[in-house]
Amino acid sequence: MRRPGTSIRTTCAACVLLVTAAWLGAAAAAPGAQEPQAPPEGSVRPGATPPPNRRQEVRQGQRTQRAPRELQAAVDSLPPRYRQWVLSVAGLITQAELDFFLDLSQDYRRDAFIEAFWKPRDPDPVTPQNELRDRWQSYLTAAGSDGIPYGDPRFVVFLLNGPPGGFSLPDGRPVGRCFSRSRELEIWFYGQAPATGRRMIIIFYKPGREAGYEIYHLGASLRPVGRSGGLPTRDVSLLCADDLMRYASREISFQGDYERQLELATTPPLPSLEWLATFSGSTTDLPAGAETMRVDYEFSYPARTQSRTALQVLVRVGLAEAPGRRFDGQLFHDFRLRGEVIRNGQLFESFDYRFDGPTPDGASEIPLGFTRYLRPGPVSLFVLVEDVFGNRYAQLKRDIEIPSPDGLPPVAAATSLVAGTGDQPASERTLRLIAPPGSIHTGMVRFSTRVRGEFERVAFFLDDKQVISKRRPPYSVELNLGNAPVPHRVRVVGLVASAEAASDQLWLNQGNQRFRVRFIEPRAGGIYPGALTARLQVDTPDGRSPERIELFLNEEPVGTLAEPPFEHSVSLTDGQLAVVKAVAYLADGSSTEDAVLVNSSEFVEDVRVELVELHAVVVDGRNQPVTGLAEQTFRLREDGIDQRILRFEETADAPVNAALLIDRSSSMERHVDRVAEAAYSFAQQALETDDDRLAVMSFAEVTTVDTGFTSSLAQVERALAGIDALGGTGLYDAVVQTLNYFEDVQGQTAIVLFSDGKDEGSELRLEQTIAGAHQAGVTIYTLGLVSSFEERADRRVLEQLAEETGGRAIFLRDLADLDGAYGEILAEIRSRYLIAYQSTSDKPDRDFREIQLEVDAPGAKVRTRRGYFP
């Protein structure tokens, strides 16, 4: 029977290891015990039978149930240093982790497991240290020298809180740890337990001679067995006087939340087992019962880089072995290649590649090539090739002697264009912005430049507003990008005689499928007597060519460009103040534009009157959309002040631009195929016309654009078919990157997110993610399985993302209901009202503005975004 207040989480692996510790004896806890070091050279046998692959069992939450004798045999069979490590983490390791570790048969995998074991337990991943691991290493020796065996609950308390002490009795006497003279009982006094931040008293006792120590809980019978051996200390001052026992019992009973505080002080952090599924999935072992295929390998050493030799491996997969799949008549392939390099018995490096795309016409095989740069000497190379569409595998295990790099040609230096430079000809004066490190930028960020030539002054712009200008180098600036991770444009302009002589720009927090056109020439504010040559740079999703670029002079068409180089001569009246505009189009109808003002002697500030647009849905008591309401039915306020509606319309016929955002982390492995099937059903209904577009994005630690916005159902189907679940969960980063992907996308916009809501490892926090959602104005719908949420806080994350953006959170008890949920979301998207107004607020631009939208209809309620940053 479970005692009141006992945490179930602490009993699974800890109780097993208590028994194990008793089998192996106290010798394993000798003073000075250290964490296992690297395995001896030659301990790996390439070609040996791989251990059982536990990937599916781990992902599905299954556990191997070893009987005590089986557990004893498994632990006994470990090399001594790994056996010692297992005992030393008693109370920290879970049953699933213990089972998995005992199944490993290769030392290099055991060492990699030990390293990976600590990462999800890092209390502050932002710092370079792992504070829990550091404490464990320092307490390990201290606890051992104090006579505390590893499996003992006292060891766990020692690990989480350190040695007792700093406690003062009412009469002023200091006390830390005391022992009963005649019974197996001791009391630990903490003046401030690190795990709770409060005064804490913990009583340990042995209920029987063959039993281990237990922690006393309120309501339990405290009957320790008589002491059979000597005291653990010779210090008589540490004997528990009768008054200490009475005092401790009274203090515990008077503390109303004692059991809760005791759980905090005795329960180690329990990480998500997603890391274990990720670790399992990164192996090069063949999955149990996997169907295999035949592939050919070629090895070469074509070049060197410094002291390393380039190992080039070419894997050839025949179409007879992996025939691929057809989408809309086109044959595609999808392969995943995982590899490990073992040197001196240790995992030197691991790698993971994805090869997918259309199969070349007439091809009989698919070449998969990769290069690793290794120092000379013997290594073992393990490679696992997976045909994602065919669910077949090929495995390579080979010993290789990496030759000396001497005499090999150097790796050819890659040449690339700097983003934003286009074909701009060399000039005496150039400016180049240096991109700051990282993929998402918020707060204060420093921007530096590379400069050639001299300038009278250099001006920095953030989102088209000049921030500062400098008359002498260094030309650098620190810009405040705000708390919300929203898209920004940083521009630097070098001026000579008040005219622009050079410029450059960076786009921050953008999706990698950005569609953009910009003028290289003419320069804003430049003087062009008689004529100019328009020269354009175009960035497109996946490098696709634009269908056309149309040029305008003061809104009059002056030319159309169909292929690079995108240049065109434009005639001007001498001294004519003019606006030159370019509009680029993709084949799917997407467009983007840029414009510059020329022949102006000064910068002319671009003043725009922008409307605040709301997409709102009205639902009845059954959550069914209510349509046909008149404008007068709605009342709109901003920060409590009434606003005048300037535009009102129902948007049933407006094009849909939605992103399907799918969690493909390890915790979703059981569900991802079914989620993809339901998402495809959603796509079949959503892509009604050529103007409707969907994007498919998925995320684990990183976010990928599986397909950009497209009206092709086959393209969506292929993207969904290639989603494979593996890795941690970078939920917040994924939401923000998807929101930023919507920049400049007009019409009905929405993100449909399926996740278990558990974020692990994002650069951003939830509040920053919500701020980014307010800025973007994209509605977020969230979906999740009720059974997937271990904590209410994870479910609340999905609710907040939906509530703040005017969407809806739907939690399903069964995946069979997923099609219906997707259908409800689509019905809402097609039943929204577009409401626009011009804000009367005089708040600073960086302040949040709250929106209140009400509807005067019986039993109805309205949902829209909660507010915005201008």
Side-chain angles (χ1 to χ4, degrees), residues 145 154 196 205 267 271 327 360-361 408 441 522 589 604 628 711 729 868:
S145 64
R154 294 172 298 171
T196 66
Y205 72 103
T267 304
F327 299 93
D361 293 337
L408 294 175
H441 303 91
V604 177
S711 56
T729 312
Y868 71 103

Side-chain angles (χ1 to χ4, degrees), residues 223 272 297 397 406 723 858:
R223 296 178 180 176
S272 166
Y297 298 88
K397 292 192 172 186
D406 296 341
I723 294 178

Side-chain angles (χ1 to χ4, degrees), residues 728-790:
T729 312
L731 172 63
Y732 302 151
D733 290 354
V735 170
V736 167
Q737 290 169 11
T738 306
L739 287 167
N740 293 342
Y741 187 74
F742 275 85
E743 192 190 15
D744 296 333
V745 174
Q746 305 299 318
Q748 297 274 44
T749 58
I751 294 173
V752 184
L753 163 67
F754 192 103
S755 175
D756 55 16
K758 184 73 172 181
D759 182 88
E760 295 178 337
S762 282
E763 295 180 33
L764 300 170
R765 302 183 303 276
L766 176 59
E767 54 268 28
Q768 290 177 298
T769 304
I770 291 175
H774 288 150
Q775 184 85 4
V778 178
T779 308
I780 301 176
Y781 291 90
T782 59
L783 294 157
L785 270 179
V786 172
S787 58
S788 298
F789 298 94
E790 297 179 0

Side-chain angles (χ1 to χ4, degrees), residues 454-465:
E454 296 183 355
F455 299 93
E456 292 180 358
R457 63 187 178 96
V458 170
F460 289 87
F461 295 79
L462 176 61
D463 299 329
D464 297 323
K465 294 182 179 179

